[in-house]
Amino acid sequence: NAGVMQNPRHLVRRRGQEARLRCSPMKGHSHVYWYRQLPEEGLKFMVYLQKENIIDESGMPKERFSAEFPKEGPSILRIQQVVRGDSAAYFCASSTGLAGAYNEQFFGPGTRLTVL
Amino acid sequence: AQSVTQLGSHVSVSEGALVLLRCNYSSSVPPYLFWYVQYPNQGLQLLLKYTTGATLVKGINGFEAEFKKSETSFHLTKPSAHMSDAAEYFCAVSGAAGNKLTFGGGTRVLVKP
């Protein structure tokens, strides 16, 4: 059973370009979380999605950032008009989303975004 | 609202010595508590978790942690450090009502031969 997949692993963008980060959850998982890790810091929650539904986006910056998890295909974190401050490691985690129990999150290897 | 404080951003231990990483949390609901390890340029791997039940939790690689509600702490220990324990360690908390994780700032462990 493959783990959480993220691609690309490394992404370089120039200021003003768009970045698209993809996350394929573990088989059988229908919930996805995105976290951002700035240099020398811990991870910060960004957004929590179920297929075709955003459950919690309280950690998402108000502008330029968006996330989706379509019925088919991976979850996408999209950053428009990137700036140098967006340089970070972006981690995706997935869980089963089963009701009535704590759902462990399994993390992917991350996408390291560098903005030149 | 929840928060996590990890005391000490860097810890240096000798091989074979005790590893002690401190974590204090604040949570308005009964917490679920976690320790993750991150090796360079890799994702996070779960070491152990506390959800309910026994307050002393054993995890992988010889690590354990004790949930102390009165002290709002969840310190991580390992009796004897190994060179392979050199990594960054993150404590995290989650509320029972929601699953998002709130992480501490991390503690980087250096193991000296």
Short mmCIF file of all heavy atoms in Angstrom, two decimals, chain A residues 37-92:
data_model
loop_
_atom_site.label_atom_id
_atom_site.label_comp_id
_atom_site.label_asym_id
_atom_site.label_seq_id
_atom_site.Cartn_x
_atom_site.Cartn_y
_atom_site.Cartn_z
N GLN A 37 5.82 24.44 6.25
CA GLN A 37 6.94 24.53 7.18
C GLN A 37 7.91 25.57 6.63
O GLN A 37 8.63 25.32 5.65
CB GLN A 37 7.65 23.18 7.34
CG GLN A 37 8.76 23.19 8.35
CD GLN A 37 9.42 21.83 8.52
OE1 GLN A 37 9.46 21.02 7.60
NE2 GLN A 37 9.94 21.55 9.72
N LEU A 38 7.94 26.72 7.27
CA LEU A 38 8.90 27.75 6.89
C LEU A 38 10.26 27.37 7.44
O LEU A 38 10.36 26.60 8.41
CB LEU A 38 8.44 29.11 7.43
CG LEU A 38 7.15 29.64 6.79
CD1 LEU A 38 6.63 30.84 7.56
CD2 LEU A 38 7.38 30.00 5.34
N PRO A 39 11.33 27.90 6.87
CA PRO A 39 12.68 27.54 7.33
C PRO A 39 12.84 27.73 8.83
O PRO A 39 12.45 28.76 9.38
CB PRO A 39 13.57 28.49 6.53
CG PRO A 39 12.80 28.76 5.28
CD PRO A 39 11.36 28.80 5.71
N GLU A 40 13.39 26.73 9.47
CA GLU A 40 13.68 26.78 10.92
C GLU A 40 12.43 26.93 11.78
O GLU A 40 12.50 27.39 12.91
CB GLU A 40 14.65 27.93 11.24
CG GLU A 40 15.96 27.88 10.45
CD GLU A 40 16.76 26.60 10.69
OE1 GLU A 40 16.83 26.16 11.85
OE2 GLU A 40 17.28 26.03 9.71
N GLU A 41 11.29 26.54 11.27
CA GLU A 41 10.05 26.61 12.06
C GLU A 41 9.32 25.27 12.04
O GLU A 41 9.66 24.37 11.28
CB GLU A 41 9.13 27.70 11.52
CG GLU A 41 9.66 29.11 11.66
CD GLU A 41 8.62 30.14 11.24
OE1 GLU A 41 7.43 29.80 11.15
OE2 GLU A 41 9.02 31.29 11.03
N GLY A 42 8.32 25.17 12.90
CA GLY A 42 7.47 23.98 12.89
C GLY A 42 6.44 24.07 11.79
O GLY A 42 6.35 25.06 11.07
N LEU A 43 5.66 23.02 11.66
CA LEU A 43 4.63 23.00 10.65
C LEU A 43 3.42 23.80 11.09
O LEU A 43 3.03 23.76 12.26
CB LEU A 43 4.18 21.56 10.37
CG LEU A 43 5.09 20.72 9.49
CD1 LEU A 43 6.32 20.28 10.22
CD2 LEU A 43 4.34 19.52 8.95
N LYS A 44 2.81 24.49 10.14
CA LYS A 44 1.60 25.27 10.42
C LYS A 44 0.47 24.74 9.54
O LYS A 44 0.64 24.62 8.31
CB LYS A 44 1.83 26.75 10.13
CG LYS A 44 2.90 27.39 11.00
CD LYS A 44 2.41 27.68 12.39
CE LYS A 44 3.34 28.62 13.15
NZ LYS A 44 4.63 28.08 13.47
N PHE A 45 -0.65 24.49 10.16
CA PHE A 45 -1.82 24.01 9.44
C PHE A 45 -2.30 25.06 8.45
O PHE A 45 -2.33 26.26 8.75
CB PHE A 45 -2.94 23.70 10.43
CG PHE A 45 -4.28 23.47 9.81
CD1 PHE A 45 -4.59 22.26 9.21
CD2 PHE A 45 -5.24 24.48 9.81
CE1 PHE A 45 -5.84 22.05 8.64
CE2 PHE A 45 -6.49 24.27 9.24
CZ PHE A 45 -6.78 23.06 8.66
N MET A 46 -2.68 24.58 7.26
CA MET A 46 -3.23 25.49 6.26
C MET A 46 -4.70 25.19 5.99
O MET A 46 -5.57 26.04 6.16
CB MET A 46 -2.44 25.39 4.95
CG MET A 46 -0.98 25.75 5.08
SD MET A 46 -0.11 25.62 3.52
CE MET A 46 -0.70 27.12 2.72
N VAL A 47 -4.99 23.96 5.55
CA VAL A 47 -6.34 23.65 5.10
C VAL A 47 -6.61 22.16 5.24
O VAL A 47 -5.68 21.34 5.17
CB VAL A 47 -6.52 24.11 3.64
CG1 VAL A 47 -5.59 23.34 2.71
CG2 VAL A 47 -7.96 23.97 3.17
N TYR A 48 -7.89 21.85 5.46
CA TYR A 48 -8.35 20.47 5.64
C TYR A 48 -9.49 20.25 4.66
O TYR A 48 -10.46 21.01 4.65
CB TYR A 48 -8.79 20.32 7.09
CG TYR A 48 -9.49 19.05 7.51
CD1 TYR A 48 -9.33 17.84 6.84
CD2 TYR A 48 -10.32 19.06 8.64
CE1 TYR A 48 -9.98 16.69 7.26
CE2 TYR A 48 -10.98 17.91 9.07
CZ TYR A 48 -10.81 16.73 8.38
OH TYR A 48 -11.45 15.59 8.81
N LEU A 49 -9.34 19.22 3.82
CA LEU A 49 -10.33 18.99 2.77
C LEU A 49 -10.82 17.55 2.78
O LEU A 49 -10.09 16.62 3.12
CB LEU A 49 -9.72 19.25 1.38
CG LEU A 49 -8.99 20.54 1.14
CD1 LEU A 49 -7.50 20.32 1.10
CD2 LEU A 49 -9.45 21.16 -0.16
N GLN A 50 -12.06 17.42 2.38
CA GLN A 50 -12.66 16.14 2.06
C GLN A 50 -12.91 16.22 0.56
O GLN A 50 -12.87 17.32 -0.01
CB GLN A 50 -13.97 16.03 2.82
CG GLN A 50 -14.60 14.70 2.88
CD GLN A 50 -15.88 14.77 3.72
OE1 GLN A 50 -16.35 15.85 4.08
NE2 GLN A 50 -16.43 13.64 4.03
N LYS A 51 -13.16 15.09 -0.06
CA LYS A 51 -13.39 15.16 -1.51
C LYS A 51 -14.51 16.13 -1.83
O LYS A 51 -15.61 16.05 -1.27
CB LYS A 51 -13.72 13.78 -2.05
CG LYS A 51 -12.47 12.92 -2.24
CD LYS A 51 -12.75 11.68 -3.03
CE LYS A 51 -11.50 10.83 -3.21
NZ LYS A 51 -10.54 11.44 -4.14
N GLU A 52 -14.20 17.11 -2.70
CA GLU A 52 -15.13 18.13 -3.19
C GLU A 52 -15.62 19.07 -2.10
O GLU A 52 -16.63 19.75 -2.29
CB GLU A 52 -16.33 17.47 -3.88
CG GLU A 52 -15.94 16.61 -5.08
CD GLU A 52 -17.15 16.07 -5.82
OE1 GLU A 52 -17.78 15.11 -5.29
OE2 GLU A 52 -17.46 16.58 -6.89
N ASN A 53 -14.92 19.12 -0.98
CA ASN A 53 -15.41 19.95 0.12
C ASN A 53 -14.24 20.46 0.96
O ASN A 53 -13.35 19.68 1.31
CB ASN A 53 -16.37 19.13 0.98
CG ASN A 53 -17.07 19.96 2.03
OD1 ASN A 53 -17.29 21.15 1.84
ND2 ASN A 53 -17.41 19.33 3.14
N ILE A 54 -14.24 21.74 1.28
CA ILE A 54 -13.25 22.29 2.20
C ILE A 54 -13.87 22.29 3.59
O ILE A 54 -14.92 22.90 3.81
CB ILE A 54 -12.84 23.72 1.80
CG1 ILE A 54 -12.13 23.70 0.45
CG2 ILE A 54 -11.93 24.33 2.86
CD1 ILE A 54 -11.79 25.08 -0.09
N ILE A 55 -13.24 21.61 4.52
CA ILE A 55 -13.79 21.50 5.87
C ILE A 55 -13.28 22.62 6.75
O ILE A 55 -14.03 23.20 7.55
CB ILE A 55 -13.43 20.13 6.48
CG1 ILE A 55 -14.03 19.00 5.62
CG2 ILE A 55 -13.92 20.03 7.92
CD1 ILE A 55 -13.65 17.62 6.05
N ASP A 56 -12.00 22.95 6.65
CA ASP A 56 -11.41 23.97 7.52
C ASP A 56 -10.28 24.65 6.75
O ASP A 56 -9.32 23.99 6.36
CB ASP A 56 -10.88 23.31 8.80
CG ASP A 56 -10.27 24.30 9.79
OD1 ASP A 56 -10.13 25.49 9.46
OD2 ASP A 56 -9.91 23.86 10.90
N GLU A 57 -10.42 25.92 6.50
CA GLU A 57 -9.36 26.65 5.79
C GLU A 57 -8.85 27.80 6.64
O GLU A 57 -8.37 28.81 6.13
CB GLU A 57 -9.84 27.15 4.43
CG GLU A 57 -11.08 28.01 4.48
CD GLU A 57 -11.53 28.46 3.09
OE1 GLU A 57 -10.76 28.30 2.12
OE2 GLU A 57 -12.67 28.98 2.99
N SER A 58 -8.93 27.61 7.94
CA SER A 58 -8.58 28.70 8.86
C SER A 58 -7.10 29.07 8.80
O SER A 58 -6.73 30.16 9.22
CB SER A 58 -8.96 28.31 10.29
OG SER A 58 -8.30 27.12 10.68
N GLY A 59 -6.26 28.22 8.28
CA GLY A 59 -4.83 28.52 8.20
C GLY A 59 -4.36 29.02 6.84
O GLY A 59 -3.17 29.28 6.66
N MET A 60 -5.28 29.17 5.93
CA MET A 60 -4.89 29.59 4.58
C MET A 60 -4.74 31.10 4.52
O MET A 60 -5.61 31.84 5.01
CB MET A 60 -5.96 29.18 3.57
CG MET A 60 -5.94 27.72 3.25
SD MET A 60 -4.62 27.29 2.13
CE MET A 60 -5.51 27.43 0.57
N PRO A 61 -3.66 31.58 3.92
CA PRO A 61 -3.58 33.04 3.67
C PRO A 61 -4.79 33.49 2.85
O PRO A 61 -5.32 32.73 2.03
CB PRO A 61 -2.27 33.17 2.88
CG PRO A 61 -1.47 31.96 3.27
CD PRO A 61 -2.47 30.87 3.47
N LYS A 62 -5.20 34.71 3.10
CA LYS A 62 -6.44 35.20 2.50
C LYS A 62 -6.32 35.39 0.99
O LYS A 62 -7.32 35.31 0.26
CB LYS A 62 -6.84 36.54 3.15
CG LYS A 62 -7.22 36.41 4.61
CD LYS A 62 -8.55 35.73 4.78
CE LYS A 62 -9.00 35.66 6.22
NZ LYS A 62 -8.46 34.52 6.93
N GLU A 63 -5.12 35.66 0.52
CA GLU A 63 -4.95 35.93 -0.91
C GLU A 63 -3.94 34.97 -1.51
O GLU A 63 -3.05 34.47 -0.84
CB GLU A 63 -4.48 37.38 -1.11
CG GLU A 63 -5.49 38.41 -0.63
CD GLU A 63 -4.97 39.83 -0.77
OE1 GLU A 63 -3.76 40.02 -0.97
OE2 GLU A 63 -5.80 40.76 -0.68
N ARG A 64 -4.09 34.69 -2.75
CA ARG A 64 -3.16 33.96 -3.63
C ARG A 64 -3.16 32.46 -3.40
O ARG A 64 -2.68 31.74 -4.27
CB ARG A 64 -1.72 34.51 -3.50
CG ARG A 64 -1.55 35.98 -3.82
CD ARG A 64 -0.09 36.39 -3.86
NE ARG A 64 0.54 36.22 -2.52
CZ ARG A 64 1.41 35.29 -2.24
NH1 ARG A 64 1.79 34.39 -3.15
NH2 ARG A 64 1.96 35.21 -1.03
N PHE A 65 -3.65 31.99 -2.30
CA PHE A 65 -3.61 30.55 -1.99
C PHE A 65 -5.01 29.95 -2.15
O PHE A 65 -6.00 30.53 -1.72
CB PHE A 65 -3.14 30.31 -0.56
CG PHE A 65 -1.68 30.49 -0.33
CD1 PHE A 65 -1.12 31.77 -0.34
CD2 PHE A 65 -0.85 29.41 -0.11
CE1 PHE A 65 0.25 31.94 -0.13
CE2 PHE A 65 0.51 29.56 0.11
CZ PHE A 65 1.05 30.84 0.10
N SER A 66 -5.04 28.76 -2.75
CA SER A 66 -6.29 28.02 -2.84
C SER A 66 -5.99 26.53 -2.83
O SER A 66 -4.88 26.11 -3.16
CB SER A 66 -7.08 28.40 -4.11
OG SER A 66 -6.33 28.06 -5.27
N ALA A 67 -6.99 25.76 -2.46
CA ALA A 67 -6.82 24.30 -2.42
C ALA A 67 -8.09 23.64 -2.88
O ALA A 67 -9.19 24.17 -2.70
CB ALA A 67 -6.46 23.85 -1.00
N GLU A 68 -7.92 22.47 -3.48
CA GLU A 68 -9.07 21.69 -3.90
C GLU A 68 -8.74 20.21 -3.78
O GLU A 68 -7.57 19.80 -3.79
CB GLU A 68 -9.46 22.03 -5.34
CG GLU A 68 -8.40 21.70 -6.37
CD GLU A 68 -8.87 21.96 -7.78
OE1 GLU A 68 -9.99 22.45 -7.98
OE2 GLU A 68 -8.10 21.63 -8.71
N PHE A 69 -9.79 19.43 -3.68
CA PHE A 69 -9.65 17.98 -3.64
C PHE A 69 -10.83 17.44 -4.44
O PHE A 69 -11.91 17.20 -3.90
CB PHE A 69 -9.68 17.49 -2.20
CG PHE A 69 -9.34 16.03 -2.02
CD1 PHE A 69 -8.72 15.29 -3.02
CD2 PHE A 69 -9.65 15.39 -0.83
CE1 PHE A 69 -8.42 13.95 -2.84
CE2 PHE A 69 -9.34 14.04 -0.64
CZ PHE A 69 -8.73 13.33 -1.64
N PRO A 70 -10.65 17.28 -5.74
CA PRO A 70 -11.76 16.88 -6.61
C PRO A 70 -12.17 15.44 -6.38
O PRO A 70 -11.46 14.65 -5.76
CB PRO A 70 -11.19 17.09 -8.01
CG PRO A 70 -9.71 16.96 -7.84
CD PRO A 70 -9.40 17.50 -6.48
N LYS A 71 -13.32 15.10 -6.94
CA LYS A 71 -13.83 13.74 -6.81
C LYS A 71 -12.83 12.73 -7.36
O LYS A 71 -12.65 11.63 -6.81
CB LYS A 71 -15.17 13.64 -7.54
CG LYS A 71 -15.88 12.32 -7.37
CD LYS A 71 -17.24 12.34 -8.06
CE LYS A 71 -17.95 11.01 -7.89
NZ LYS A 71 -19.27 11.00 -8.58
N GLU A 72 -12.22 13.07 -8.45
CA GLU A 72 -11.19 12.21 -9.05
C GLU A 72 -9.87 12.97 -9.08
O GLU A 72 -9.85 14.16 -9.39
CB GLU A 72 -11.60 11.82 -10.49
CG GLU A 72 -12.92 11.08 -10.60
CD GLU A 72 -12.86 9.69 -9.99
OE1 GLU A 72 -11.73 9.14 -9.88
OE2 GLU A 72 -13.92 9.15 -9.60
N GLY A 73 -8.78 12.27 -8.80
CA GLY A 73 -7.48 12.91 -8.89
C GLY A 73 -6.96 13.43 -7.58
O GLY A 73 -7.64 13.34 -6.54
N PRO A 74 -5.75 13.98 -7.62
CA PRO A 74 -5.09 14.41 -6.38
C PRO A 74 -5.66 15.71 -5.84
O PRO A 74 -6.37 16.44 -6.55
CB PRO A 74 -3.64 14.59 -6.83
CG PRO A 74 -3.75 14.99 -8.26
CD PRO A 74 -4.92 14.21 -8.80
N SER A 75 -5.29 16.00 -4.63
CA SER A 75 -5.55 17.33 -4.08
C SER A 75 -4.49 18.28 -4.62
O SER A 75 -3.34 17.90 -4.83
CB SER A 75 -5.46 17.27 -2.55
OG SER A 75 -5.59 18.56 -2.00
N ILE A 76 -4.90 19.51 -4.88
CA ILE A 76 -4.01 20.52 -5.43
C ILE A 76 -3.96 21.71 -4.49
O ILE A 76 -5.01 22.22 -4.07
CB ILE A 76 -4.48 21.02 -6.80
CG1 ILE A 76 -4.72 19.86 -7.77
CG2 ILE A 76 -3.50 22.05 -7.37
CD1 ILE A 76 -3.49 19.26 -8.33
N LEU A 77 -2.75 22.14 -4.16
CA LEU A 77 -2.56 23.42 -3.47
C LEU A 77 -1.97 24.37 -4.50
O LEU A 77 -0.93 24.08 -5.09
CB LEU A 77 -1.61 23.26 -2.28
CG LEU A 77 -1.30 24.55 -1.49
CD1 LEU A 77 -2.55 25.03 -0.76
CD2 LEU A 77 -0.17 24.32 -0.48
N ARG A 78 -2.64 25.47 -4.69
CA ARG A 78 -2.26 26.41 -5.75
C ARG A 78 -1.86 27.72 -5.12
O ARG A 78 -2.58 28.28 -4.28
CB ARG A 78 -3.44 26.61 -6.69
CG ARG A 78 -3.18 27.51 -7.87
CD ARG A 78 -4.48 27.65 -8.66
NE ARG A 78 -4.33 28.55 -9.79
CZ ARG A 78 -5.35 29.21 -10.34
NH1 ARG A 78 -6.57 29.05 -9.88
NH2 ARG A 78 -5.14 30.00 -11.37
N ILE A 79 -0.71 28.22 -5.53
CA ILE A 79 -0.24 29.51 -5.05
C ILE A 79 -0.02 30.40 -6.28
O ILE A 79 0.81 30.10 -7.14
CB ILE A 79 1.10 29.40 -4.27
CG1 ILE A 79 1.03 28.29 -3.22
CG2 ILE A 79 1.42 30.73 -3.61
CD1 ILE A 79 2.37 27.99 -2.56
N GLN A 80 -0.80 31.45 -6.34
CA GLN A 80 -0.68 32.37 -7.47
C GLN A 80 0.29 33.49 -7.14
O GLN A 80 0.44 33.89 -5.97
CB GLN A 80 -2.05 32.98 -7.79
CG GLN A 80 -3.06 31.96 -8.28
CD GLN A 80 -4.42 32.57 -8.54
OE1 GLN A 80 -5.12 32.95 -7.61
NE2 GLN A 80 -4.78 32.70 -9.81
N GLN A 81 0.98 34.00 -8.17
CA GLN A 81 1.86 35.15 -8.03
C GLN A 81 2.79 34.98 -6.82
O GLN A 81 2.77 35.80 -5.89
CB GLN A 81 1.03 36.44 -7.90
CG GLN A 81 0.15 36.68 -9.11
CD GLN A 81 -0.74 37.90 -8.94
OE1 GLN A 81 -1.12 38.26 -7.83
NE2 GLN A 81 -1.07 38.53 -10.06
N VAL A 82 3.58 33.94 -6.86
CA VAL A 82 4.41 33.62 -5.71
C VAL A 82 5.38 34.74 -5.39
O VAL A 82 5.83 35.48 -6.26
CB VAL A 82 5.19 32.30 -5.93
CG1 VAL A 82 4.25 31.11 -6.06
CG2 VAL A 82 6.13 32.40 -7.13
N VAL A 83 5.68 34.83 -4.08
CA VAL A 83 6.66 35.79 -3.58
C VAL A 83 7.72 35.00 -2.80
O VAL A 83 7.52 33.82 -2.47
CB VAL A 83 6.01 36.85 -2.66
CG1 VAL A 83 4.94 37.61 -3.43
CG2 VAL A 83 5.40 36.20 -1.41
N ARG A 84 8.84 35.68 -2.50
CA ARG A 84 9.95 34.96 -1.86
C ARG A 84 9.52 34.36 -0.52
O ARG A 84 9.99 33.29 -0.12
CB ARG A 84 11.14 35.89 -1.67
CG ARG A 84 11.85 36.23 -2.96
CD ARG A 84 13.36 36.34 -2.78
NE ARG A 84 14.00 36.51 -4.09
CZ ARG A 84 14.43 37.67 -4.54
NH1 ARG A 84 14.31 38.76 -3.80
NH2 ARG A 84 15.02 37.74 -5.73
N GLY A 85 8.61 35.01 0.16
CA GLY A 85 8.15 34.51 1.45
C GLY A 85 7.36 33.21 1.37
O GLY A 85 7.09 32.60 2.40
N ASP A 86 6.99 32.81 0.15
CA ASP A 86 6.29 31.54 -0.01
C ASP A 86 7.25 30.36 -0.01
O ASP A 86 6.81 29.20 0.03
CB ASP A 86 5.49 31.53 -1.32
CG ASP A 86 4.40 32.58 -1.35
OD1 ASP A 86 3.89 32.94 -0.27
OD2 ASP A 86 4.04 33.04 -2.45
N SER A 87 8.54 30.63 -0.07
CA SER A 87 9.54 29.56 -0.07
C SER A 87 9.42 28.78 1.23
O SER A 87 9.55 29.34 2.33
CB SER A 87 10.95 30.13 -0.20
OG SER A 87 11.13 30.75 -1.46
N ALA A 88 9.16 27.50 1.12
CA ALA A 88 8.91 26.67 2.29
C ALA A 88 8.76 25.23 1.83
O ALA A 88 8.75 24.94 0.63
CB ALA A 88 7.62 27.11 2.99
N ALA A 89 8.63 24.34 2.83
CA ALA A 89 8.26 22.96 2.52
C ALA A 89 6.77 22.82 2.79
O ALA A 89 6.28 23.25 3.83
CB ALA A 89 9.06 21.99 3.39
N TYR A 90 6.07 22.25 1.85
CA TYR A 90 4.62 22.07 1.97
C TYR A 90 4.35 20.57 2.10
O TYR A 90 4.71 19.79 1.22
CB TYR A 90 3.91 22.65 0.75
CG TYR A 90 4.02 24.16 0.70
CD1 TYR A 90 5.15 24.78 0.18
CD2 TYR A 90 2.99 24.96 1.19
CE1 TYR A 90 5.27 26.17 0.15
CE2 TYR A 90 3.10 26.34 1.17
CZ TYR A 90 4.24 26.93 0.65
OH TYR A 90 4.34 28.31 0.63
N PHE A 91 3.73 20.23 3.21
CA PHE A 91 3.45 18.83 3.48
C PHE A 91 1.96 18.56 3.38
O PHE A 91 1.13 19.34 3.84
CB PHE A 91 3.94 18.44 4.88
CG PHE A 91 5.43 18.40 5.00
CD1 PHE A 91 6.11 19.51 5.48
CD2 PHE A 91 6.14 17.28 4.62
CE1 PHE A 91 7.49 19.48 5.59
CE2 PHE A 91 7.52 17.25 4.73
CZ PHE A 91 8.20 18.35 5.21
N CYS A 92 1.66 17.41 2.84
CA CYS A 92 0.30 16.91 2.77
C CYS A 92 0.19 15.71 3.70
O CYS A 92 1.15 14.94 3.85
CB CYS A 92 0.01 16.51 1.33
SG CYS A 92 -1.48 15.56 1.09
#
